[in-house]
Amino acid sequence: MSLEQVEKRIKKLKKEIEHHRYAYHVLDKQEISNGALDSLKNELAKLEQSYPDLITPDSPTQRVGGKPLKDFEKVEHKVPMLSLFDAFTKQDMRDWENRLLKIRGGNWSYFCELKLDGLAMSLRYENSMFVQGATRGDGKIGEDVTPNLKTQESIPLKLRKPKRDELQQVGLTNKQIINIQKVLTSGELVVRGEVIMTKKSFENLNKKLSQENKSVLANPRNAVAGTVRQLDPQVVAERDIAFYAYYLVTDLGIKSQDKLIKLLSLLGFKIVKHYKLCSNLEEVFKFHHFCQDRRQKFPLQVDGIVVKVNELDLWDFFGVVGKGPRYMMAYKFPAEQVTTKLKDVEWQVGRTGVLTPIAFLEPVNIRGATISRATLHNMDEIKRLDIKIGDTVIVERAGDVIPKIVKTLPGLRDGYEQKIKAPNKCPRCGGDVEKISGEVAYKCVNKDCYAVNLRQLIHWTSKSACDIQGLGEKVVEQLMESGLVEEISDFYTLTSGDLSPLERFADKSAENLVKAIQDKKIIDLNRFIYGLGIEHIGSETALLLVDNFVNNYKGGKRGCIFKIKDVVNYFASVDLKDLQDLQDIGSVVAQSIVDWFGNDKNILVLKKLEKNGVGIKWRKQRDEIEKLKGLTFVLTGGLSSLTRQEARDKIRQLGGNTTYSVSKETDYVLIGKDPGSKYRKAKKLGVNIITEEEFRKMVNG
Ligand code: IVH
């Protein structure tokens, strides 16, 4: 290729690459694959290597490069970078409007756009070329971070030259179009906006940092601040941050913010697509509400909307007061962060045995939802936060994730705080714990630990035990996986705010589940005993134990609500022999009961249940007229009008008994659909066989 051809090729390559940058970053369109784009960039880099004289500052190859800086140069902002006044309520907004009306009556509209939670930046272009990017600093003097910003493709190295008809479509006048063309060829243009990191990129960055055993960053905003102020542009190049433009300092005679924002997009900048031109405050409120509802779904961290008087001529009229302009207002969303106290930390066993610390908090309201738990991730996070039990902490509910503790306030300690220790025994099964080498996690070595615990929780919520609607196996597993529930007492402190961030839970279903749990807080004693999952104790044995307890219990009347404590005291004091004397209770079952109530860990679970408001009631199991007194039933096959449990309950209520195997002592075998071997045996032994229909007559007649 001749020099001239090379020059032409380089020019074309640069134009093509810029075209795809604009399409991707500004228009959100990807026209060619990353691989294809990379090969164009490679070709350009190779040509420039052979012809270094042809390298220009706006070449995409100039994005990464330069040596690490020693320090940042100071930059003076000729037009100060102001901040915004905050409004939190509709009334705040009305007061603001009234203040403006006092300064100047009349009509104006409001341009509303998302308020990005990032870092304000001022970019300077000379003759369309990017020459300087500076942070806000104190508003008057910022820091020159140009080499870092150059690494980011969302920032055009050269301004795009909009076509005349594009500008006309925006509604710009000929005079304004001429102004734009003039300043693009020979003039200075200063653009302001926000540098942000998407929530996804932030998560990825933190994942990477934690894999490298480096400290993780608290939020996307901090991540941006840390990135932009990196002294090594190479590091910045690897980070995924983006610049969104929202204001043009240079006066081009444009009359309104809605036109200005469209112009910024045509000049090659990313703009926030969620904006709305409102003709009055009512419309502003609607937009605010709309954005607040979708807040979690935005890929960027957003903390409100910015409401700007749309007519730029009025800006001079209203002017600036103190730290900010009168003609703009940050209309914030309700807080995502609040302070509360860390009450306790419990270690949850995950599917792979990894132990995760879960923070139990003094319940607090964040954005209308009560939060009582947060994840603490691991021991390193506990160290990083320097957190102790009893500390006042800042909790954040951000995105569709479980709330997390972002900061401790050690200045508020009173000396009674307790250190959080890594567990040396598994809190669940008591098994050994090992620290996984090279990782921050601790692990329970007992492979069955998780599964046993899960089964226990499922058993507690099942139909024959507490029978909690909406707490099926899948949901129980989900609660356990997310660290919300570790033992049965945890169900009773769940709040809708704890549940709503979980997948498949909306605010309404979260509320419904919490209600269903609370509705079943007072449990029939037999169901309670069965629900504990004591080995060998099925629902029939549980009923026998209830009879025994009630007959011997001195403290209360039949039908009253018992305290868990009473039940515990009773079973902790009965001895093996007393139990064995009960009909149908053999030595294995008796031993199992004695062992269970003799285990401190189990007693602790019961105490926690009591603390969390769970009570026991004893419902009369038998009617006054005991129609089936002394009769023994066996059930087989599927019943249609009632469940087996209901049939058993009915039989007991009427003075009868049920057993599981047919013998000569059996009085009736109740058969349903497709009866099994019990039916055959009954026939062989000549035991009475009755159908469901006959049973109903017997019971009701
Ligand atoms: S307009 C007077 N528009 O919020 C400066 N600012 O809390 C306001 N911000 O310093 C410029 N999103 O960095 C404007 N859509 C937006 C914004 C926005 C975020 C930042 C800006 C400002 C800060 C004030």
Side-chain angles (χ1 to χ4, degrees):
M1 267 198 277
S2 69
L3 183 64
E4 199 182 324
Q5 281 170 322
V6 171
E7 224 175 333
K8 261 197 188 150
R9 180 76 184 161
I10 285 182
K11 220 172 166 182
K12 285 224 157 111
L13 281 170
K14 282 197 291 200
K15 204 169 165 201
E16 185 70 16
I17 294 166
E18 166 57 20
H19 167 80
H20 291 294
R21 182 205 72 83
Y22 180 71
Y24 184 79
H25 288 279
V26 182
L27 306 178
D28 292 330
K29 269 195 238 154
Q30 184 162 9
E31 293 175 1
I32 62 172
S33 69
N34 291 344
L37 188 56
D38 279 347
S39 53
L40 292 181
K41 287 179 189 168
N42 272 343
E43 187 190 338
L44 176 64
K46 273 199 188 132
L47 285 177
E48 285 180 345
Q49 240 171 26
S50 317
Y51 299 89
D53 286 351
L54 297 180
I55 300 176
T56 56
D58 66 327
S59 168
T61 57
Q62 299 308 294
R63 288 196 180 272
V64 188
K67 291 193 192 85
L69 304 170
K70 288 219 166 48
D71 208 352
F72 298 109
E73 300 271 331
K74 299 276 177 274
V75 177
E76 191 187 340
H77 300 299
K78 283 187 200 141
V79 176
M81 289 181 80
L82 301 169
S83 37
L84 290 172
F85 293 109
D86 292 335
F88 295 94
T89 62
K90 289 183 182 175
Q91 195 51 47
D92 289 345
M93 293 298 287
R94 289 193 190 103
D95 291 348
W96 171 54
E97 181 171 79
N98 286 334
R99 286 198 299 276
L100 294 183
L101 280 169
K102 268 190 198 154
I103 296 172
R104 187 190 193 280
N107 258 332
W108 53 80
S109 46
Y110 293 111
F111 181 84
C112 304
E113 62 188 329
L114 292 181
K115 182 170 182 318
L116 307 180
D117 200 8
L119 206 67
M121 198 65 68
S122 188
L123 308 183
R124 198 155 60 80
Y125 287 81
E126 276 172 15
N127 313 333
S128 284
M129 303 294 258
F130 177 49
V131 289
Q132 192 177 59
T135 62
R136 178 172 180 276
D138 64 2
K140 288 191 194 101
I141 306 221
E143 286 177 324
D144 184 338
V145 290
T146 315
N148 288 348
L149 296 183
K150 271 188 151 182
T151 66
Q152 295 300 319
E153 282 201 353
S154 55
I155 295 177
L157 294 177
K158 185 177 179 190
L159 293 174
R160 179 174 176 275
K161 203 170 166 199
K163 296 190 189 82
R164 198 180 171 79
D165 64 330
E166 285 177 327
L167 294 169
Q168 276 167 343
Q169 262 170 31
V170 171
L172 299 185
T173 61
N174 277 343
K175 194 167 165 218
Q176 290 162 343
I177 294 175
I178 291 166
N179 282 348
I180 294 165
Q181 285 164 345
K182 232 193 245 164
V183 85
L184 287 178
T185 38
S186 61
E188 185 192 73
L189 212 129
V190 177
V191 175
R192 301 246 164 106
E194 202 84 353
V195 180
I196 59 91
M197 184 178 279
T198 63
K199 295 178 200 167
K200 186 105 211 104
S201 304
F202 168 70
E203 271 168 34
N204 290 341
L205 172 63
N206 262 355
K207 236 181 251 165
K208 189 168 159 258
L209 289 173
S210 106
Q211 272 161 11
E212 291 166 358
N213 273 329
K214 291 185 186 151
S215 13
V216 292
L217 298 152
N219 54 45
R221 189 192 157 84
N222 284 11
V224 172
T227 302
V228 167
R229 298 194 74 260
Q230 283 283 333
L231 288 168
D232 185 355
Q234 300 279 357
V235 176
V236 184
E238 287 161 21
R239 302 263 174 101
D240 190 15
I241 55 175
F243 175 82
Y244 281 79
Y246 48 62
Y247 181 53
L248 183 63
V249 178
T250 314
D251 184 5
L252 296 172
I254 316 272
K255 296 284 178 215
S256 62
Q257 177 71 16
D258 63 321
K259 289 185 177 147
L260 200 78
I261 206 85
K262 288 174 192 153
L263 171 63
L264 286 170
S265 174
L266 291 176
L267 289 174
F269 294 100
K270 265 173 118 73
I271 55 159
V272 183
K273 303 246 161 51
H274 284 86
Y275 62 76
K276 189 164 174 62
L277 188 57
C278 300
S279 35
N280 54 45
L281 279 188
E282 285 311 313
E283 287 180 25
V284 172
F285 298 155
K286 263 197 206 145
F287 182 68
H288 183 260
H289 187 80
F290 173 88
C291 296
Q292 190 182 317
D293 268 2
R294 277 154 194 77
R295 166 184 203 183
Q296 309 305 338
K297 307 222 160 60
F298 295 133
L300 320 172
Q301 190 159 297
V302 169
D303 59 349
I305 61 171
V306 182
V307 185
K308 308 172 180 183
V309 169
N310 190 45
E311 291 72 17
L312 301 183
D313 283 347
L314 290 180
W315 288 21
D316 287 339
F317 245 106
F318 293 132
V320 170
V321 55
K323 67 163 189 172
R326 284 202 187 88
Y327 45 85
M328 284 187 198
M329 188 57 90
Y331 186 9
K332 296 287 213 40
F333 297 141
E336 290 231 293
Q337 284 193 351
V338 294
T339 59
T340 185
K341 274 204 162 175
L342 175 67
K343 287 201 304 190
D344 204 358
V345 170
E346 286 189 8
W347 294 80
Q348 176 234 342
V349 186
R351 185 175 288 285
T352 55
V354 169
L355 297 172
T356 308
I358 305 295
F360 281 71
L361 308 164
E362 205 75 71
V364 269
N365 194 294
I366 311 183
R367 278 191 290 115
T370 308
I371 308 294
S372 65
R373 292 155 165 85
T375 167
L376 275 170
H377 302 295
N378 53 44
M379 212 52 207
D380 265 19
E381 176 76 349
I382 290 173
K383 272 193 211 135
R384 185 184 76 81
L385 289 165
D386 178 28
I387 191 169
K388 291 181 174 178
I389 294 168
D391 265 341
T392 301
V393 294
I394 297 177
V395 188
E396 182 178 83
R397 186 185 174 201
D400 301 325
V401 289
I402 312 282
K404 60 175 185 176
I405 296 178
V406 290
K407 202 172 162 57
T408 314
L409 300 174
L412 295 174
R413 283 183 183 155
D414 59 10
Y416 290 100
E417 293 74 18
Q418 290 161 20
K419 215 173 152 193
I420 301 164
K421 291 193 203 108
N424 49 19
K425 287 274 175 226
C426 170
R428 190 102 313 275
C429 69
D432 286 337
V433 163
E434 65 179 25
K435 174 136 172 27
I436 309 168
S437 73
E439 284 182 34
V440 289
Y442 289 79
K443 200 170 176 175
C444 167
V445 294
N446 174 4
K447 289 208 164 35
D448 295 330
C449 182
Y450 176 87
V452 169
N453 193 22
L454 177 62
R455 266 205 307 278
Q456 175 79 56
L457 293 172
I458 290 172
H459 181 76
W460 177 256
T461 60
S462 67
K463 261 202 148 30
S464 307
C466 295
D467 188 20
I468 301 171
Q469 278 258 308
L471 255 187
E473 298 191 10
K474 281 241 163 63
V475 177
V476 173
E477 191 169 2
Q478 190 185 11
L479 297 183
M480 199 172 148
E481 281 278 288
S482 55
L484 289 175
V485 172
E486 177 68 5
E487 57 178 45
I488 53 179
S489 63
D490 295 334
F491 287 120
Y492 301 92
T493 55
L494 285 175
T495 65
S496 54
D498 293 332
L499 298 173
S500 54
L502 302 183
E503 211 176 306
R504 294 195 300 272
F505 271 96
D507 285 354
K508 192 78 205 135
S509 49
E511 272 167 32
N512 288 345
L513 182 54
V514 170
K515 185 167 182 306
I517 295 170
Q518 295 300 321
D519 283 350
K520 292 283 173 75
K521 242 177 164 172
I522 307 298
I523 308 162
D524 287 345
L525 181 51
N526 54 316
R527 288 170 171 269
F528 181 89
I529 292 177
Y530 169 73
L532 295 176
I534 306 169
E535 211 177 351
H536 307 300
I537 311 289
S539 37
E540 290 298 310
T541 319
L543 278 166
L544 283 176
L545 292 173
V546 171
D547 275 351
N548 178 262
F549 167 73
V550 176
N551 290 336
N552 291 299
Y553 180 63
K554 309 271 185 311
K557 287 198 295 281
R558 285 182 167 214
C560 70
I561 292 178
F562 296 105
K563 289 215 160 81
I564 295 179
K565 200 169 68 193
D566 297 334
V567 178
V568 173
N569 287 343
Y570 178 78
F571 284 107
S573 66
V574 290
D575 57 32
L576 210 56
K577 207 177 142 314
D578 293 339
L579 287 170
Q580 275 172 4
D581 284 348
L582 296 178
Q583 195 198 342
D584 286 341
I585 290 200
S587 60
V588 177
V589 177
Q591 187 65 54
S592 175
I593 297 164
V594 170
D595 287 350
W596 200 92
F597 283 95
N599 184 333
D600 288 349
K601 254 180 58 194
N602 294 334
I603 303 302
L604 202 68
V605 170
L606 295 176
K607 280 188 178 158
K608 278 198 186 162
L609 274 177
E610 180 131 67
K611 197 171 131 236
N612 293 345
V614 175
I616 304 171
K617 67 176 182 280
W618 178 78
R619 261 195 314 171
K620 262 195 302 176
Q621 302 291 326
R622 300 183 194 283
D623 270 7
E624 298 303 324
I625 318 155
E626 297 181 327
K627 264 187 240 168
L628 306 180
K629 191 165 183 178
L631 298 177
T632 303
F633 287 75
V634 172
L635 280 55
T636 177
L639 303 178
S640 58
S641 62
L642 69 180
T643 66
R644 280 200 189 194
Q645 189 57 46
E646 283 164 351
R648 281 198 200 101
D649 287 349
K650 194 78 200 162
I651 293 166
R652 285 192 64 79
Q653 205 180 351
L654 296 172
N657 262 321
T658 58
T659 61
Y660 291 95
S661 58
V662 180
S663 72
K664 280 194 187 131
E665 269 71 56
T666 311
D667 295 296
Y668 291 99
V669 171
L670 166 57
I671 55 160
K673 205 164 166 254
D674 302 327
S677 62
K678 289 175 192 163
Y679 172 61
R680 290 191 292 278
K681 193 162 175 199
K683 273 211 322 215
K684 211 163 118 193
L685 294 176
V687 175
N688 290 320
I689 295 167
I690 51 166
T691 61
E692 201 175 334
E693 186 56 34
E694 287 165 326
F695 173 72
R696 255 212 315 272
K697 276 190 192 144
M698 189 181 211
V699 169
N700 299 328

